[in-house]
Amino acid sequence: MNKLKKLVIFSSGFGSNLQSIINKLHGHKGIVVKLVVSDKPSMSIKRAVKSGISCLFFPFNKEQNKNEYDCILSKLVNVFNPDLLILSGFMHIFSHQFVANYPNKIINIHPSLLPKYKGLNTHRRVLENGDKIHGTTVHFVNKKLDSGKIIAQKIINVSDNETVNSLENKVKIIENNFYPNVIKNLCNKI
Ligand code: GRF
């Protein structure tokens, strides 16, 4: 029998992707969400609590040393012995050492068709450039922002009269199905 795959999810926002991972994967298909990490008070924490999943609220204080923060975070995460670290809307950029601790184990979902539009405000930049297609990318996390190896992408059409909000909603609806599927496939391979 395949061994249970343990996920730690880093999510500090609305948590729609976290919720869909909980709904679609947690407790079945040999997958369990062991821990949710949030660096801000967030819906993600509420969602974890509601599902009885351990959560860690670990705010980053700007005066704090980032390497020290990441070192403590890594020690806390390791208690759960995760197979994959899943990022979704966790705005803290990890130190090189943190990333090096988990080779090929950290993945992120980014709301653009990478390598286009790394960083913030992807939907606005798509509209400003008059792009006709947009989408989302799941990729491994490496030392450079939004630059790790691409695992999978999903494309959407940009309609006329689209707004930043409408694009964000469209992309999230796609992501909420897509991300759990990509995670499930990865879990089957590890
Ligand atoms: C998603 O759009 C994801 O692509 C980006 O952050 C957003 C998180 O949304 N990295 P949610 O918190 O899962 O609703």
Side-chain angles (χ1 to χ4, degrees), residues 129-182:
N129 287 335
D131 292 1
K132 294 294 171 212
I133 59 163
H134 183 32
T136 187
T137 303
V138 180
H139 64 95
F140 285 109
V141 171
N142 67 7
K143 290 175 185 175
K144 279 192 171 167
L145 184 69
D146 301 327
S147 299
K149 187 176 165 218
I150 291 172
I151 299 167
Q153 292 184 307
K154 202 86 176 173
I155 296 174
I156 62 160
N157 290 315
V158 180
S159 315
D160 298 338
N161 306 322
E162 204 85 70
T163 64
V164 169
N165 276 347
S166 69
L167 264 190
E168 184 182 352
N169 289 337
K170 258 186 172 178
V171 168
K172 279 221 188 160
I173 288 167
I174 295 287
E175 288 183 337
N176 291 169
N177 274 310
F178 178 56
Y179 207 14
N181 283 338
V182 174

Side-chain angles (χ1 to χ4, degrees), residues 11 13-18 88-89 108-111 136 172 175:
S11 173
F14 183 62
S16 67
N17 284 304
L18 166 66
S88 181
N108 181 41
I109 189 160
H110 181 76
T136 187
K172 279 221 188 160
E175 288 183 337

Side-chain angles (χ1 to χ4, degrees), residues 36-90:
V36 172
V37 180
S38 181
D39 64 345
K40 298 190 174 57
S42 63
M43 276 296 292
S44 303
I45 295 174
K46 290 189 179 164
R47 292 178 193 276
V49 169
K50 207 169 166 200
S51 295
I53 297 169
S54 299
C55 55
L56 172 66
F57 170 53
F58 194 43
F60 178 66
N61 167 351
K62 283 202 176 98
E63 277 103 60
Q64 196 174 357
N65 178 294
K66 185 170 165 165
N67 290 333
E68 188 185 282
Y69 173 93
D70 281 14
C71 179
I72 298 168
L73 182 57
S74 189
K75 283 184 179 147
L76 293 168
V77 163
N78 289 348
V79 170
F80 294 85
N81 193 22
D83 296 286
L84 282 177
L85 281 64
I86 312 282
L87 310 188
S88 181
F90 189 70

Side-chain angles (χ1 to χ4, degrees), residues 26-42:
H26 177 57
H28 32 260
K29 301 183 197 313
I31 295 171
V32 67
V33 180
K34 295 295 283 185
L35 176 70
V36 172
V37 180
S38 181
D39 64 345
K40 298 190 174 57
S42 63

